Amino acid sequence: MRNIFRFLLRLAFCLCALSSLPAPCAAQIVVNEFVADPARDWDGDGTTNLRDDEWIEIRNVGTVPVDLSAYRLADAEGPTVFRYGFAGTLDPGAVRVVYGSDSRAWEEANGFPLYGLSLNNTGDVVSLYRLAGGDTALVDSYAYREVAARDDRSIGRRSDAPSVWITFDALNPCTATCDPAGTGCFPTPGLQNTCLTPAATATWGAIKGIYIR
Ligand SMILES: [Ca+2]
Ligand SMILES: [Ca+2]
Ligand SMILES: [Ca+2]
């Protein structure tokens, strides 16, 4: 019995490694955090740009590496206009951040309009799709409203409770109107969604490189 279980487990892992197969393997990759209304040079190119400095972070919440080549980002317009196509592999627990400038370069190379990630400041949907054979499956999405998306606020999953979404508003503190609620945490592009605050001096060194270039 135990051998049968091990065989099935191994088979499941092998199937997950094949990028052409649909969910539940696809559910391993989730939208983890994003900034829709940038007011600083998030991508580090020396200028602040409303298109190029938006960003979306994804995370592998599963237990096996995932080939990202079938994954696409879109906004509320849906899968008729993709904003970015991933490449490479994402290890379990790892995150990958895509800036608007990355998106624009991908759009240019793949014949899409050069809108970048195109995250509307007055509310939009961040969507992650997966191409599977002739189908396009919605893997994960998050709809946000205007207040939480204002200047340099990111919205993301709590690292210790991934089903709970929060606003990372240390750079632009929320009032009581933020939905999801503000936390006083800094946005963490390319890093786990740990809550880093100005008071957390012990860990500030790990993230200050993002903000001080
Ligand atoms: Ca925007
Ligand atoms: Ca920039
Ligand atoms: Ca993050």
Side-chain angles (χ1 to χ4, degrees):
M1 192 68 182
R2 189 176 294 172
N3 285 342
I4 293 174
F5 176 76
R6 280 183 185 153
F7 170 76
L8 291 174
L9 194 63
R10 222 171 270 147
L11 179 64
F13 282 1
C14 289
L15 291 175
C16 283
L18 298 174
S19 62
S20 61
L21 291 172
C25 302
Q28 288 187 107
I29 305 297
V30 298
V31 174
N32 199 47
E33 188 183 359
F34 61 90
V35 160
D37 188 2
R40 65 182 56 217
D41 180 20
W42 286 106
D43 73 349
D45 73 345
T47 60
T48 299
N49 184 286
L50 292 176
R51 174 187 61 184
D52 292 352
D53 288 308
E54 290 182 345
W55 53 267
I56 298 174
E57 179 183 84
I58 62 169
R59 182 175 185 227
N60 182 352
V61 296
T63 56
V64 295
V66 173
D67 178 357
L68 294 179
S69 59
Y71 287 82
R72 302 285 184 273
L73 289 173
D75 62 1
E77 287 195 47
T80 54
V81 184
F82 289 125
R83 308 301 184 185
Y84 185 74
F86 290 90
T89 300
L90 195 60
D91 289 330
V95 300
R96 176 85 58 87
V97 63
V98 176
Y99 293 98
S101 47
D102 301 323
S103 164
R104 179 172 47 80
W106 183 87
E107 288 164 338
E108 189 161 25
N110 290 276
F112 287 97
L114 306 184
Y115 295 151
L117 294 168
S118 191
L119 300 178
N120 197 319
N121 296 353
T122 56
D124 207 335
V125 180
V126 179
S127 299
L128 180 66
Y129 288 91
R130 185 166 182 270
L131 309 179
D135 295 329
T136 302
L138 179 64
V139 173
D140 194 20
S141 69
Y142 185 84
Y144 62 89
R145 288 185 284 186
E146 185 265 344
V147 174
R150 283 182 192 164
D151 288 4
D152 286 340
R153 291 175 183 159
S154 75
I155 300 172
R157 297 175 182 274
R158 254 175 62 171
S159 60
D160 59 341
S163 63
V164 178
W165 288 80
I166 54 177
T167 299
F168 295 75
D169 62 337
L171 299 171
N172 181 13
C174 283
T175 64
T177 57
C178 264
D179 179 20
T183 56
C185 306
F186 282 95
T188 59
L191 300 170
Q192 303 297 334
N193 290 359
T194 308
C195 181
L196 299 175
T197 66
T201 51
T203 53
W204 173 244
I207 196 171
K208 67 182 181 185
I210 294 175
Y211 302 104
I212 304 170
R213 290 190 171 98

